[in-house]
Short mmCIF file of all heavy atoms in Angstrom, two decimals:
data_model
loop_
_atom_site.label_atom_id
_atom_site.label_comp_id
_atom_site.label_asym_id
_atom_site.label_seq_id
_atom_site.Cartn_x
_atom_site.Cartn_y
_atom_site.Cartn_z
N LYS A 119 -1.64 -77.98 78.32
CA LYS A 119 -0.34 -78.12 77.66
C LYS A 119 -0.42 -79.06 76.46
O LYS A 119 0.14 -78.78 75.40
CB LYS A 119 0.69 -78.62 78.67
CG LYS A 119 2.08 -78.64 78.11
CD LYS A 119 3.09 -78.96 79.18
CE LYS A 119 4.44 -78.98 78.54
NZ LYS A 119 5.50 -78.62 79.41
N ALA A 120 -1.14 -80.17 76.61
CA ALA A 120 -1.29 -81.11 75.49
C ALA A 120 -2.06 -80.47 74.34
O ALA A 120 -1.69 -80.62 73.17
CB ALA A 120 -1.99 -82.37 75.96
N LEU A 121 -3.13 -79.73 74.66
CA LEU A 121 -3.92 -79.07 73.61
C LEU A 121 -3.11 -77.98 72.93
O LEU A 121 -3.12 -77.87 71.71
CB LEU A 121 -5.21 -78.50 74.20
CG LEU A 121 -6.17 -77.85 73.20
CD1 LEU A 121 -6.54 -78.82 72.09
CD2 LEU A 121 -7.42 -77.36 73.92
N GLN A 122 -2.39 -77.19 73.71
CA GLN A 122 -1.55 -76.14 73.12
C GLN A 122 -0.47 -76.75 72.23
O GLN A 122 -0.15 -76.22 71.17
CB GLN A 122 -0.91 -75.29 74.21
CG GLN A 122 -0.10 -74.14 73.68
CD GLN A 122 -0.96 -73.11 72.97
OE1 GLN A 122 -2.02 -72.76 73.46
NE2 GLN A 122 -0.52 -72.66 71.83
N GLY A 123 0.08 -77.87 72.65
CA GLY A 123 1.10 -78.54 71.86
C GLY A 123 0.58 -79.05 70.52
O GLY A 123 1.33 -79.16 69.55
N ARG A 124 -0.70 -79.35 70.45
CA ARG A 124 -1.28 -79.84 69.20
C ARG A 124 -1.71 -78.71 68.28
O ARG A 124 -1.65 -78.85 67.07
CB ARG A 124 -2.50 -80.75 69.48
CG ARG A 124 -2.19 -82.01 70.26
CD ARG A 124 -1.02 -82.82 69.77
NE ARG A 124 -1.03 -83.08 68.35
CZ ARG A 124 0.05 -83.28 67.61
NH1 ARG A 124 1.24 -83.28 68.16
NH2 ARG A 124 -0.05 -83.51 66.33
N ILE A 125 -2.18 -77.57 68.81
CA ILE A 125 -2.66 -76.49 67.94
C ILE A 125 -1.55 -75.51 67.59
O ILE A 125 -1.62 -74.86 66.56
CB ILE A 125 -3.87 -75.75 68.54
CG1 ILE A 125 -3.52 -75.09 69.86
CG2 ILE A 125 -5.04 -76.68 68.68
CD1 ILE A 125 -4.62 -74.20 70.41
N GLY A 126 -0.56 -75.39 68.45
CA GLY A 126 0.56 -74.49 68.18
C GLY A 126 1.81 -75.07 68.80
O GLY A 126 2.19 -74.66 69.90
N PRO A 127 2.45 -76.02 68.13
CA PRO A 127 3.56 -76.74 68.75
C PRO A 127 4.72 -75.86 69.19
O PRO A 127 5.45 -76.22 70.09
CB PRO A 127 4.02 -77.71 67.66
CG PRO A 127 2.99 -77.70 66.62
CD PRO A 127 2.18 -76.47 66.79
N ASP A 128 4.89 -74.69 68.58
CA ASP A 128 6.03 -73.85 68.93
C ASP A 128 5.70 -72.85 70.04
O ASP A 128 6.55 -72.07 70.44
CB ASP A 128 6.51 -73.10 67.68
CG ASP A 128 5.39 -72.30 67.03
OD1 ASP A 128 4.22 -72.59 67.30
OD2 ASP A 128 5.71 -71.38 66.23
N GLN A 129 4.48 -72.88 70.56
CA GLN A 129 4.07 -71.94 71.60
C GLN A 129 3.98 -72.63 72.95
O GLN A 129 3.70 -73.81 73.05
CB GLN A 129 2.71 -71.34 71.28
CG GLN A 129 2.69 -70.53 70.00
CD GLN A 129 1.27 -70.05 69.70
OE1 GLN A 129 0.31 -70.48 70.32
NE2 GLN A 129 1.17 -69.16 68.74
N GLU A 130 4.20 -71.85 74.00
CA GLU A 130 4.04 -72.35 75.36
C GLU A 130 2.61 -72.07 75.82
O GLU A 130 1.95 -71.18 75.29
CB GLU A 130 5.02 -71.65 76.30
CG GLU A 130 6.44 -72.16 76.20
CD GLU A 130 6.56 -73.61 76.63
OE1 GLU A 130 5.99 -73.98 77.68
OE2 GLU A 130 7.21 -74.39 75.91
#
Side-chain angles (χ1 to χ4, degrees):
K119 187 172 179 151
L121 183 56
Q122 183 66 44
R124 298 312 311 152
I125 61 173
D128 55 342
Q129 297 176 349
E130 283 295 315

